[in-house]
Amino acid sequence: MRYTNESTLPENMQPLIITAAPFGPQWLPGDADIPVTWDEQVQAAVDCYNAGATMLHVHVRDPATGHGSLDIDQFNYFIGRLRQAVPKMILQVGGSISFAPKSADAQAKWLDYDTRHMLAEIDPKPDCVTIAVGTTQWDIMASMIPDDIKGTHLENNPKVQEQWKGMWVDAGPKFYLEHLKRLREHRIQPYFVPGHIHQMELIEGLIRAGAYMGPLNMAVAAYGGGTLGRNPYHLMQFLQDVPQGASVTFWSSMRGNIPIQAMALVLGQHVRVGNEDNLWGPDKTRRTAVQQIEGTVRMAREFGRKVATAEEAREQMKIGVWYDSVEETLHNIGLPPNRRDGEKGFVVYDTDGKKGLGKTAGDSHPMAYCMVAPPVAATA
């Protein structure tokens, strides 16, 4: 993204999209404000929407066990409930799910990736499904300190901590090429989650090859442990390689998420808060997902940036929009066109050669004149 002089003024920024992540799949009931019953899970979505969130990062918890669900029927049921309870909210299903086969026979017939591709078969359809492109180590414990897990089942539990340290995301070409194909067939938009800049390069390559043709909605995953860390220079460097037309949300963890979200807000990007990422306020006291959303709304108000309505969020992200060619995709996302045979140098889009308003109305004063204060300023 290219920042101009006016880019950092809040009135020139797109309205802020707040993503709520209130279902905390890594936590157990009692660790945080975790909804368990169906009514509680639906109410969590309603409360987040009423607080100002317009996108919901969806995980499903089995009310019978209190643990994360691997049952596609439960996902179908929950998405149906959400469509009734928060019809305007953008529903973004987490893509880390492998659905459990219903029988031993199905288990024998299905390939490992088939259980993940079933995300494209959820009915009613969500608006987006998150997708990783490129296999990545994802050690969420790497950036955590003891205070972060205080009062949760991870505290004084080295065995479980070790399991989270060993987490990695399997997302090679065999997976993501087929997954993108199935999502398009079912008209569900992918929500890309690159963990570092090299995965952004993979995503651009997929677009240039025509493997994905549509708007570019994405997160920047800054959890450390194999993904991008919290170094603000690295986040800014990442933004340099993100095309102008992308919709970008910053993700990070625990109290480290607070300054990362503040960065996103003032840089014209979008934010995600909730117990999936963070349990705490800056004062080290517990904050619910709703309280984190309310804090984001206050911060946006103080900065002067408008919080997006549900309609504005859908328009920005172009929910439901698809493109029919590589050229159309590149142009709308803001990437340079593919090189045609014989073209040299850095490729740009063809123009009619006429001057635009910016050129005809530009300041053409000589440098020497501009270095001297005008008489009015000198006598002020």
Side-chain angles (χ1 to χ4, degrees), residues 9-139:
L9 299 178
E11 65 266 26
N12 293 328
M13 294 178 178
Q14 291 181 323
L16 176 70
I17 300 172
I18 300 175
T19 299
F23 301 117
Q26 73 272 40
W27 306 116
L28 297 178
D31 284 345
D33 56 313
I34 300 296
V36 177
T37 70
W38 289 123
D39 287 346
E40 288 171 346
Q41 292 180 66
V42 171
Q43 190 61 48
V46 172
D47 293 343
C48 288
Y49 178 74
N50 289 337
T54 48
M55 182 185 295
L56 184 68
H57 184 70
V58 180
H59 289 277
V60 179
R61 199 169 287 265
D62 185 343
T65 64
H67 294 274
S69 175
L70 301 178
D71 187 335
I72 191 170
D73 291 337
Q74 291 188 334
F75 272 73
N76 294 339
Y77 174 74
F78 189 46
I79 295 295
R81 290 280 304 266
L82 291 174
R83 286 297 186 204
Q84 293 180 336
V86 284
K88 296 182 179 180
M89 215 170 187
I90 299 169
L91 302 184
Q92 175 208 87
V93 172
S96 57
I97 302 299
S98 293
F99 290 112
K102 293 290 187 179
S103 66
D105 182 60
Q107 177 70 66
K109 291 180 179 178
W110 288 359
L111 301 173
D112 290 341
Y113 286 152
D114 285 337
T115 61
R116 295 168 68 184
H117 295 321
M118 285 179 68
L119 283 160
E121 300 173 17
I122 295 174
D123 184 26
K125 294 183 295 186
D127 298 294
C128 309
V129 167
T130 61
I131 180 171
V133 174
T135 298
T136 316
Q137 178 181 319
W138 205 292
D139 171 11

Side-chain angles (χ1 to χ4, degrees), residues 57-349:
H57 184 70
V58 180
H59 289 277
V60 179
R61 199 169 287 265
D62 185 343
T65 64
H67 294 274
S69 175
L70 301 178
D71 187 335
I72 191 170
D73 291 337
Q74 291 188 334
F75 272 73
N76 294 339
Y77 174 74
F78 189 46
I79 295 295
R81 290 280 304 266
L82 291 174
R83 286 297 186 204
Q84 293 180 336
V86 284
K88 296 182 179 180
M89 215 170 187
I90 299 169
L91 302 184
Q92 175 208 87
V93 172
S96 57
I97 302 299
S98 293
F99 290 112
K102 293 290 187 179
S103 66
D105 182 60
Q107 177 70 66
K109 291 180 179 178
W110 288 359
L111 301 173
D112 290 341
Y113 286 152
D114 285 337
T115 61
R116 295 168 68 184
H117 295 321
M118 285 179 68
L119 283 160
E121 300 173 17
I122 295 174
D123 184 26
K125 294 183 295 186
D127 298 294
C128 309
V129 167
T130 61
I131 180 171
V133 174
T135 298
T136 316
Q137 178 181 319
W138 205 292
D139 171 11
I140 63 170
M141 300 299 300
S143 297
M144 289 190 186
I145 60 176
D147 279 350
D148 290 336
I149 59 175
K150 187 176 181 180
T152 74
H153 76 287
L154 292 177
E155 186 178 21
N156 301 318
N157 196 339
K159 182 177 180 179
V160 176
Q161 290 184 35
E162 197 66 29
Q163 291 176 334
W164 283 110
K165 288 178 182 179
M167 186 172 73
W168 56 283
V169 176
D170 175 14
K174 185 178 179 181
F175 166 71
Y176 59 69
L177 289 172
E178 179 64 22
H179 205 57
L180 287 171
K181 177 183 175 183
R182 296 197 192 190
L183 288 175
R184 185 178 179 99
E185 288 174 350
H186 289 84
R187 312 304 280 182
I188 299 173
Q189 287 181 323
Y191 190 89
F192 293 97
V193 186
H196 49 72
I197 195 62
H198 305 300
Q199 291 175 352
M200 186 66 233
E201 294 170 343
L202 286 174
I203 294 168
E204 181 175 342
L206 292 172
I207 293 168
R208 293 192 176 279
Y212 172 66
M213 294 181 290
L216 181 54
N217 297 313
M218 56 180 287
V220 178
Y223 298 100
T227 71
L228 199 69
R230 298 173 183 166
N231 187 322
Y233 289 106
H234 295 170
L235 285 157
M236 289 300 297
Q237 185 178 25
F238 195 105
L239 281 184
Q240 284 184 312
D241 280 10
V242 174
Q244 295 287 97
S247 176
V248 180
T249 298
F250 284 8
W251 294 4
S252 192
S253 62
M254 294 304 183
R255 284 187 301 123
N257 197 39
I258 298 171
I260 295 299
Q261 299 308 334
M263 281 182 60
L265 191 152
V266 301
L267 290 173
Q269 310 306 315
H270 305 291
V271 305
R272 180 174 111 160
V273 293
N275 58 33
E276 182 165 341
D277 294 328
N278 180 29
L279 305 178
W280 308 96
D283 57 355
K284 295 186 180 182
T285 60
R286 286 295 185 100
R287 295 283 175 90
T288 66
V290 168
Q291 288 173 330
Q292 292 178 51
I293 295 166
E294 293 171 341
T296 300
V297 171
R298 288 194 299 270
M299 185 165 58
R301 186 180 300 121
E302 289 296 319
F303 177 61
R305 187 171 174 192
K306 184 183 186 299
V307 176
T309 65
E311 292 82 3
E312 289 170 333
R314 286 181 173 274
E315 182 179 359
Q316 283 187 56
M317 294 179 61
K318 298 181 174 64
I319 297 298
V321 173
W322 296 88
Y323 303 136
D324 297 319
S325 69
V326 173
E327 292 73 22
E328 183 184 12
T329 305
L330 293 171
H331 181 78
N332 280 283
I333 288 176
L335 285 167
N338 281 338
R339 188 181 303 278
R340 293 175 294 193
D341 290 344
E343 284 187 316
K344 307 293 184 184
F346 294 98
V347 182
V348 297
Y349 289 99

